[in-house]
Amino acid sequence: MFSAPSLEMILSSTSFFSQGYSVSAIDLVPEAIEELKNTFKCSSEEDWKKEESDNSLVWKHASGRATFIVGDALQKRPELVGKFDAVYDKDSFGALPKSLRKGFCARISEFTKKGGLIYLECKLKNNHEEVVNVGPPFSLKAENLMEEDNFGANFDYVKGLGSVYDLSVGMVANMQQTGHVMKKN
């Protein structure tokens, strides 16, 4: 499952799909999901079935291996409980204020199978201690991710990958894009 609109989400989904994996994505932005659908070059518009469900628009691929949801990732979705072996979060958690993080982590935990993995990317600002509550994007370290109200209640921290790619230009020059791996306990 992917939970953020990004080039990485698009490339990862089509790559995993072309290798036979099932993929799902949730995004609030209809254009992000439309762009994601358009990258599936192996299919035509007729291969996608549109459904409306619980304030969401759901696109299902005829193969049964791709489901894209235009909707709120914080919404309870019984059909997704325990469905995912792996979750990729590209900056979604790091964009949320503290007041929304507990609900987000609860949903991700519900969606992830026991033993499933999360690969999460977030920002780490150079002056982290001074700006930890300033955002979005919010500056996050492993200990922030693993707070009890965040992922700490249901996940074990497996590994920090440090800086995963360069953010040395423009307004993001004062931060790093960091990667984190967690496992559902």
Side-chain angles (χ1 to χ4, degrees):
M1 181 186 88
F2 301 89
S3 64
S6 68
L7 178 59
E8 290 87 357
M9 175 180 78
I10 291 168
L11 295 174
S12 298
S13 326
T14 55
S15 175
F16 286 128
F17 183 83
S18 67
Q19 294 176 46
Y21 293 97
S22 296
V23 296
S24 297
I26 301 173
D27 201 298
L28 276 172
V29 181
E31 294 81 7
I33 295 296
E34 196 59 38
E35 185 62 30
L36 183 56
K37 281 178 38 204
N38 290 338
T39 63
F40 279 67
K41 295 183 181 15
C42 59
S43 64
S44 66
E45 189 61 35
E46 294 81 43
D47 290 333
W48 293 96
K49 179 181 172 188
K50 179 170 115 173
E51 301 173 1
E52 293 195 37
S53 171
D54 299 322
N55 300 319
S56 298
L57 180 60
V58 180
W59 291 96
K60 293 187 177 183
H61 192 266
S63 68
R65 294 189 301 110
T67 303
F68 302 145
I69 301 169
V70 178
D72 187 349
L74 297 172
Q75 180 179 327
K76 284 190 174 263
R77 299 180 187 279
E79 72 278 11
L80 297 182
V81 171
K83 185 174 180 182
F84 301 107
D85 296 305
V87 174
Y88 172 45
D89 176 358
K90 170 80 169 70
D91 291 317
S92 292
F93 181 81
L96 296 174
K98 283 188 176 188
S99 62
L100 296 177
R101 292 178 188 169
K102 184 175 184 176
F104 179 83
C105 293
R107 292 301 82 74
I108 297 299
S109 178
E110 289 171 4
F111 300 162
T112 308
K113 292 178 181 177
K114 183 177 173 114
L117 298 175
I118 295 178
Y119 172 64
L120 182 142
E121 287 185 14
C122 59
K123 304 292 190 273
L124 176 61
K125 296 177 183 176
N126 294 344
N127 55 342
H128 173 77
E129 300 306 325
E130 298 165 25
V131 297
V132 69
N133 294 314
V134 178
F138 292 93
S139 183
L140 297 165
K141 289 184 173 182
E143 56 262 27
N144 306 118
L145 299 175
M146 298 311 295
E147 290 173 6
E148 195 65 21
D149 278 350
N150 294 334
F151 292 105
N154 297 303
F155 291 86
D156 296 319
Y157 192 81
V158 175
K159 186 174 185 176
L161 303 178
S163 182
V164 292
Y165 56 84
D166 186 35
L167 295 176
S168 62
V169 295
M171 59 187 243
V172 294
N174 67 337
M175 60 184 88
Q176 302 171 48
Q177 185 74 14
T178 60
H180 306 269
V181 179
M182 294 167 277
K183 184 176 183 179
K184 174 109 182 256
N185 51 29

